[in-house]
Amino acid sequence: MAAPQLNSDSKYDDYDYPTTSPTAQSGHPGHTTPEQDAQVYQLRTQLEQAGYSERLDTLSMLRFLRARKFNVNLAKQMFIDCEKWRKEFGVDNLVRNFDYKEKPQVFEYYPQYYHKIDKDGRPVYIEQLGGIDLTAMYKITTAERMLQNLVVEYEKLADPRLPACSRKSGQLLETSCSILDLKGVGLSKISSVYGYVKQTAAISQNYYPERLGHMYLINAPWGFASVFSVIKGFLDPVTVAKIHVLGTGYQSELLAQVPKENLPKLFGGTCDCKGSCALSDAGPWQDPQWSKPPKWAGSKAGTSTTIDNEPSSTISTHAPQKEPQPSSEPQPARMGDQAPMG
């Protein structure tokens, strides 16, 4: 029996990393039905007729289709909304030129970072929500720049992080493993950050679908598991299986997914990167053996002005964010409407 492989399109598919998903899940690359392949063709053709010519590769088409349960019309509208937002938000210029020079100061309150890989080879994404203080943070940066940084990191997850991880593992990896540390999070803190977190949820759910592999909510406060048991009744069973709500005794389960040497000491691992794990950006995407220049670095340049404006009083978000739409998966907080509850 022939090995499964992606039903590719020579016009748009130019991959230099593996393109077959490691598990045989319906609708995933290398494991599609003839009907699903036809829906990819239908979606791409309709978007071409509507004037779109970028990001029409097969992997992208499949992610949008999976996010909308292979409803072509819904996937088409999701893609169009995404392209409209990308233009308004200036994504292509941001990923090339954004300079988040205040990151070390912001991370004193709200660390958000990618750090090495889990046992499946996926990038590990970590957020620590307990120290969030927006009043103090807005003296250092603005809500706009925080969202810009979020978007840039999503773009870098797609390329170069995931391609590098795919090359190293020898199989296609499209998702990350997220760790959300809820230590110190309570109801009083949630109310103050709800607006910002809701905006981040709109970005992640509407414009970066199908990026969640596993999510570990660690140091979950008392009562959170009960709240989540109600929430999960409204989620897709496939999504629920990806989410692990853990209290303070999380280490054994977390270490079953993330190698000890890749997990920061703070969470029970042995990694202690020089200068801090949070600022190291360590992973295969930094290794010349696996990393290659991202495609966006060599594509048409657009505006070349470096975006390193000093923080100001504005907290505009460039373009109005849509409400988070129903998705096949929640997102890190990034999680928005599903923000941690005390």
Side-chain angles (χ1 to χ4, degrees), residues 21-296:
S21 293
T23 54
Q25 293 177 282
S26 178
H28 287 252
H31 308 285
T32 51
T33 65
E35 180 183 8
Q36 289 168 338
D37 291 337
Q39 288 166 320
V40 169
Y41 177 80
Q42 183 181 359
L43 174 60
R44 180 186 286 124
T45 300
Q46 290 185 13
L47 289 170
E48 285 180 323
Q49 291 172 347
Y52 295 96
S53 59
E54 295 184 83
R55 290 174 281 277
L56 298 184
D57 63 284
T58 302
L59 296 182
S60 295
M61 295 293 92
L62 282 171
R63 285 194 303 107
F64 278 90
L65 283 165
R66 290 199 304 273
R68 292 297 178 258
K69 305 297 184 185
F70 277 83
N71 181 310
V72 173
N73 289 333
L74 292 180
K76 176 185 175 183
Q77 189 58 53
M78 185 184 192
F79 183 92
I80 290 173
D81 290 343
C82 178
E83 290 297 301
K84 181 175 183 288
W85 166 80
R86 289 181 69 91
K87 183 176 180 180
E88 293 174 342
F89 204 83
V91 175
D92 291 341
N93 183 42
L94 277 173
V95 71
R96 296 185 186 95
N97 302 304
F98 183 71
D99 180 11
Y100 199 41
K101 57 188 177 184
E102 66 269 32
K103 178 191 284 189
Q105 290 73 41
V106 174
F107 275 26
E108 291 179 10
Y109 298 96
Y110 186 17
Q112 302 168 279
Y113 57 99
Y114 289 92
H115 183 266
K116 299 189 176 181
I117 57 176
D118 69 2
K119 291 184 178 180
D120 294 319
R122 292 176 293 214
V124 174
Y125 176 77
I126 299 172
E127 285 195 9
Q128 296 167 246
L129 292 89
I132 293 178
D133 181 343
L134 290 183
T135 301
M137 291 163 66
Y138 287 162
K139 294 177 181 177
I140 301 167
T141 190
T142 65
E144 178 179 37
R145 285 180 60 77
M146 289 172 63
L147 289 173
Q148 288 174 335
N149 177 65
L150 177 81
V151 168
V152 168
E153 291 303 315
Y154 266 128
E155 291 293 307
K156 290 180 178 179
L157 171 64
D159 191 11
R161 290 189 179 106
L162 285 169
C165 291
S166 297
R167 293 182 197 105
K168 182 173 183 177
S169 69
Q171 55 195 8
L172 176 65
L173 298 171
E174 297 186 285
T175 61
S176 62
C177 174
S178 297
I179 302 171
L180 272 61
D181 183 9
L182 307 184
K183 186 176 183 179
V185 174
L187 284 173
S188 59
K189 187 160 292 184
I190 290 173
S191 61
S192 67
V193 303
Y194 179 79
Y196 168 76
V197 174
K198 188 175 181 181
Q199 288 177 311
T200 70
I203 290 174
S204 60
Q205 292 186 34
N206 295 335
Y207 310 131
Y208 295 96
E210 295 291 300
R211 289 304 191 195
L212 178 66
H214 283 286
M215 180 186 291
Y216 293 87
L217 304 172
I218 65 173
N219 289 313
W222 181 86
F224 182 84
S226 298
V227 173
F228 182 73
S229 67
V230 176
I231 295 173
K232 70 181 183 181
F234 301 95
L235 299 176
D236 187 291
V238 175
T239 298
V240 172
K242 298 178 180 180
I243 302 173
H244 312 265
V245 180
L246 308 174
T248 55
Y250 62 82
Q251 291 185 2
S252 60
E253 187 166 346
L254 188 58
L255 287 169
Q257 183 63 36
V258 182
K260 197 166 189 176
E261 64 272 18
N262 290 355
L263 191 65
K265 280 186 175 181
L266 175 66
F267 303 112
T270 59
C271 190
D272 187 17
C273 294
K274 183 178 180 180
S276 88
C277 291
L279 296 172
S280 70
D281 196 28
W285 49 92
Q286 298 288 0
D287 187 339
Q289 183 178 359
W290 311 115
S291 183
K292 295 185 179 181
K295 295 289 177 63
W296 48 258

